[in-house]
């Protein structure tokens, strides 16, 4: 189900807790909400739809990917860039890494270990920041 985007910064600064099998509906809602907003958004974290669980949905080179409990375990090639966020006004400067290795679970609770680069890596870093209660 498509949900409203949360803009309350004090709520968004609360770190999210690990997702479990009970959160699969939230994962689906997050994907539905991302699909509804593809004209202005490339990724969402669950707290942006009001659920403080570690779930993100991203656009990855034209496909859509839902990640449960994503964790970056390797970073390389830092750079500075500017980002916007559906929950915030304007554009803000931030530091990102061109290559990241991420451990995460699929919605079938299969563990994955995958390298992402470029824009996909940037989106994942932004959304994992949301899971940690960090706003750009
Ligand atoms: Zn954001």
């Amino acid at each position: 189900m498509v949900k409203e985007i949360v803009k309350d910064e004090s709520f968004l600064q609360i770190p999210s807790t690990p997702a479990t099998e009970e959160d699969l509906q939230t994962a689906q809602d997050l994907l539905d909400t991302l699909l509804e907003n593809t004209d202005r958004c490339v990724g969402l974290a669950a707290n942006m739809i009001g659920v403080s669980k570690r779930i993100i949905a991203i656009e990855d080179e034209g496909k859509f990917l839902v990640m449960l409990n994503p964790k970056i375990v390797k970073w390389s090639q830092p750079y500075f860039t500017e980002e916007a966020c559906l929950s915030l006004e304007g554009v803000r400067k931030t530091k990102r890494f061109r290559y990241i290795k991420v451990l995460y679970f699929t919605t079938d609770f299969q563990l994955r270990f995958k390298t992402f680069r470029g824009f996909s890596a940037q989106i994942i870093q932004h959304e994992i920041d949301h899971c940690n209660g960090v706003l750009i």
Side-chain angles (χ1 to χ4, degrees):
M1 192 190 297
V2 175
K3 300 284 185 178
E4 288 287 311
I5 302 295
V6 172
K7 298 190 172 176
D8 177 346
E9 291 192 24
S10 57
F11 177 80
L12 292 169
Q13 285 171 6
I14 300 168
S16 293
T17 56
T20 69
E21 288 183 23
E22 289 171 15
D23 300 309
L24 290 177
Q25 183 60 51
T26 296
Q28 184 62 51
D29 292 344
L30 195 61
L31 182 60
D32 293 343
T33 306
L34 177 60
L35 292 172
E36 183 70 16
N37 286 284
T38 48
D39 56 330
R40 58 191 184 127
C41 177
V42 288
L44 289 173
N47 59 352
M48 295 172 72
I49 60 164
V51 183
S52 298
K53 292 288 182 168
R54 302 185 70 87
I55 307 169
I56 68 173
I58 66 150
E59 192 175 333
D60 175 29
E61 297 178 349
K63 290 174 291 182
F64 293 90
L65 186 58
V66 175
M67 305 166 109
L68 305 180
N69 302 324
K71 187 173 194 280
I72 300 173
V73 294
K74 255 188 162 177
W75 299 257
S76 63
Q77 296 189 21
Y79 64 104
F80 287 91
T81 186
E82 290 187 338
E83 293 179 354
C85 176
L86 213 50
S87 288
L88 306 172
E89 296 292 332
V91 172
R92 303 174 189 209
K93 276 196 185 0
T94 187
K95 181 184 178 183
R96 298 296 181 205
F97 294 84
R98 291 199 195 282
Y99 292 88
I100 54 171
K101 282 191 175 180
V102 186
L103 266 178
Y104 66 97
F105 288 89
T106 65
T107 50
D108 300 324
F109 281 88
Q110 302 290 310
L111 185 62
R112 292 279 186 271
F113 184 49
K114 197 174 165 191
T115 300
F116 293 89
R117 61 195 167 89
F119 195 42
S120 297
Q122 183 181 355
I123 299 164
I124 292 168
Q125 289 167 81
H126 180 107
E127 303 313 334
I128 290 179
D129 275 357
H130 274 298
C131 293
N132 293 328
V134 173
L135 299 171
I136 50 166

